[in-house]
């Protein structure tokens, strides 16, 4: 690997490269290999990034996309292979190193400080002078906000911004530091359809400005809509690349089919769901006038009433921050209610806690799988048994039956096709999709009669999304019930029997999926009035 270059010299060289050599790659990655123990995450992958081009990197969960981008952003060091920046071999030893070389990353989970202003977040760590010229910085940030369509003051605190606005601030933050290469990891996963369209327009604007944009996404439609080049990874290897001549060709469906075949090594997954073919039974879960507070003490649910019936998937739509997470936690027993009642099969379980909710048959798959759903440093075996410690066969009095725990982990790994080195591997080493399959498997192994899932497919590839959807429908078909909270409207319309829309802590409408469409749901999610054909909650 090359020696680390002087930062100022690298920055000057990159600027010269873009100015005079626009049709040469700004970044060249050659034969990049990275191992984690016995797992080869990247296996001799080569990739070129060009100025003024949007390059999508696609692949199923565990394909090696995030590892490759973590190497380019300085989070990981490759075991072998080379990186050339502006034509010269270089070494990126840290994220700050990457930024100084003009490579900025916008992560799936935002890194902004909510109680600081836009200006403070943007300049935080960016200014190296002893005395900060805040007036000049504010003028520059204000100019960038205007250029990217944000009609807000640089003094506005981040907590007052919508998610789409926060994401634009994240992009401004890396551009402020002089980034010529911008890496975006699943940038649309928490956005509304309108915010997604605005983001794609912004990426096109960055392309026009000569920025090399790398888009890591599982949403093939979005990738094809905005990308000039697509690279496909599978099992840690690069298995295909589609250039501008192919992407811009007339037969978009043929290109889509070829990409999916390369991602999964076969034909595209088929839609085999048939929601609504079974009988809906009596109410399994009932909420009556439920109110609760959010983490900051403000009202999160306001006098909410709801029935979920045996044999149905009840979908919950809404823009993030309108009470969906708190609703899931109330049902699961994690969050106390301040008013109202929670009933399960007619029995009052209000404020009985997680232990009682789990014992009575409520399972919960959280949206924060890394920090709340598992203990990342613990083994797969330990995480599988986590919610059943104290029960047979995992426990016998004060003693743990580790053989039974490992046998169950092996069973779930095999049954749910979890790609893992073995049951003793730390669960934090798994890809997002494999971790999600394992957490869902753990809940289903407890045989819940009500399963609450908050964004169970966020960041998952097409194949794993189908796997999760099928498992949820099978729960409903067996006469149990599922509460599915999702920001993916297509997912809700495919899987759900009925859909409720949340806004400002209230359930503003409930409708059968046959009466819903994305335009109507989006209208209600943004606080629009209930229309004639919509059933008020």
């Amino acid at each position: 690997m090359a020696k680390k270059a002087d930062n100022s010299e690298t920055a000057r060289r990159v600027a010269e490269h873009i100015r005079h050599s626009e049709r040469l790659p700004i970044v060249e990655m050659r034969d990049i290999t990275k191992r984690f123990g016995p797992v080869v995450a990247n296996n001799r992958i080569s990739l070129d990034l060009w100025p003024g081009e949007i390059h999508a990197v696609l692949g199923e969960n565990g394909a090696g996309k995030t590892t490759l981008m973590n190497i380019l952003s300085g989070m990981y060091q490759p075991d072998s292979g080379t990186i050339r920046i502006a034509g010269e071999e270089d070494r990126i030893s840290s994220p700050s190193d990457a930024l100084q070389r003009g490579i900025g990353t916008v992560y799936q989970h935002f890194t902004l400080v909510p109680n600081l202003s836009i200006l403070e977040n943007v300049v935080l760590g960016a200014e190296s002078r002893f005395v900060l010229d805040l007036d000049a910085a504010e003028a520059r940030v204000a100019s960038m906000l205007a250029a990217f369509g944000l009609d807000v003051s640089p003094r506005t605190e981040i907590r007052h911004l919508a998610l789409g606005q926060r994401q634009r601030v994240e992009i401004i933050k890396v551009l402020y530091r002089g980034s010529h290469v911008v890496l975006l990891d699943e940038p649309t996963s928490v956005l509304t359809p309108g915010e997604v369209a605005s983001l794609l327009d912004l990426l096109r604007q960055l392309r026009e400005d000569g920025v090399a944009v790398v888009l890591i996404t599982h949403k093939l439609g979005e990738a094809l809509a905005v990308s000039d080049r697509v690279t496909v990874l599978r099992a840690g290897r690069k298995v295909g690349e589609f250039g501008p001549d192919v992407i811009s060709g007339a037969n978009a469906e043929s290109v889509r089919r070829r990409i999916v075949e390369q991602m999964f090594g076969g034909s595209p997954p088929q839609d085999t769901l048939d929601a609504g073919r079974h009988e809906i039974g009596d109410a399994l879960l009932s909420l009556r006038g439920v109110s609760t507070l959010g983490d900051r003490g403000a009202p999160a649910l306001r006098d909410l009433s709801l029935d979920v019936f045996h044999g149905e998937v009840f979908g919950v739509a809404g823009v993030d921050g309108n009470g969906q997470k708190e609703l899931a936690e109330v049902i699961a027993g994690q969050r106390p209610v301040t008013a109202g009642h929670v009933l399960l099969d007619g029995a009052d379980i209000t404020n009985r806690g997680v232990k009682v909710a789990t014992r009575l048959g409520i399972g919960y798959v959280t949206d924060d799988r890394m920090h709340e759903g598992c203990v990342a440093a613990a083994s797969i075996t330990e995480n599988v048994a986590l919610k059943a410690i104290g029960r047979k066969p995992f426990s016998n009095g004060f003693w743990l039956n580790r053989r039974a725990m490992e046998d169950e982990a092996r069973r779930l790994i095999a049954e749910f096709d979890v790609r893992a080195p073995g049951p003793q591997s730390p669960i934090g080493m798994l890809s997002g999709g494999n971790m999600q399959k394992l957490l869902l498997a753990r809940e289903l192994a407890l045989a819940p009669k009500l399963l609450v899932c908050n964004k169970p497919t966020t960041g998952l590839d097409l194949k794993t999304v189908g796997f999760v959807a099928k498992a949820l429908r099978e729960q409903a078909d067996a006469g149990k019930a599922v509460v599915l909270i999702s920001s993916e409207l297509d997912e809700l319309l495919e899987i759900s029997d009925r859909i409720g829309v949340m806004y400002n802590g209230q359930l503003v409408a409930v409708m059968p999926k046959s009466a819903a469409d994305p335009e109507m749901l989006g209208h209600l999610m943004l606080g629009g009035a209930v229309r004639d054909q919509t059933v008020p909650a």
Side-chain angles (χ1 to χ4, degrees), residues 112-273:
L112 302 171
V113 182
N115 289 330
L116 295 184
S117 69
I118 295 172
L119 174 62
E120 291 166 332
N121 271 277
V122 170
V123 302
L124 188 63
E127 301 288 345
S128 58
R129 295 185 290 271
F130 287 108
V131 178
L132 172 63
D133 187 346
L134 202 58
D135 290 338
E138 183 172 0
R140 184 180 171 200
V141 171
S143 175
M144 297 177 78
L145 289 171
F148 290 148
L150 277 175
D151 186 19
V152 293
S153 165
R155 301 281 181 173
T156 304
E157 291 185 0
I158 294 297
R159 62 192 174 95
H160 297 306
L161 301 181
L163 288 173
Q165 293 174 312
R166 296 185 191 193
Q167 188 162 64
R168 290 185 177 226
V169 174
E170 289 276 15
I171 295 173
I172 288 172
K173 186 176 175 180
V174 298
L175 294 177
Y176 184 89
R177 289 159 167 76
S179 296
H180 304 292
V181 179
V182 176
L183 316 178
L184 297 109
D185 186 10
E186 297 290 349
T188 66
S189 60
V190 296
L191 303 185
T192 65
E195 289 173 330
V196 169
S198 296
L199 175 65
L200 298 186
D201 286 341
L202 176 56
L203 299 188
R204 295 184 182 101
Q205 181 180 337
L206 293 178
R207 174 175 60 195
E208 291 301 314
D209 293 340
V211 176
V213 178
V214 181
L215 178 63
I216 301 174
T217 181
H218 292 96
K219 299 178 181 179
L220 185 52
E222 293 172 4
L224 292 177
V226 75
S227 300
D228 304 290
R229 189 181 304 273
V230 172
T231 291
V232 182
L233 305 184
R234 187 173 77 238
R237 295 178 180 271
K238 177 178 175 180
V239 295
E241 182 173 313
F242 298 81
D245 54 334
V246 177
I247 297 296
S248 60
N251 196 341
E253 182 55 36
S254 174
V255 173
R256 180 188 183 281
R257 186 164 54 251
R258 288 168 60 192
I259 290 175
V260 173
E261 287 174 354
Q262 289 192 349
M263 285 174 64
F264 301 109
S267 300
Q270 299 298 310
D271 178 12
T272 59
L273 298 180

Side-chain angles (χ1 to χ4, degrees), residues 469-486:
K470 184 172 182 290
L472 299 186
R473 281 268 25 125
E474 287 176 347
Q475 281 287 105
D477 293 346
K480 301 175 183 180
V482 176
V483 175
L484 172 62
I485 299 170
S486 178

Side-chain angles (χ1 to χ4, degrees), residues 300-301 316-329 454 485-486 502:
L301 297 180
V316 179
V319 177
D320 274 356
N322 279 278
Q324 302 96 304
K325 182 177 179 66
E326 289 82 4
L327 173 63
E329 291 175 347
N454 190 0
I485 299 170
S486 178
M502 291 194 67

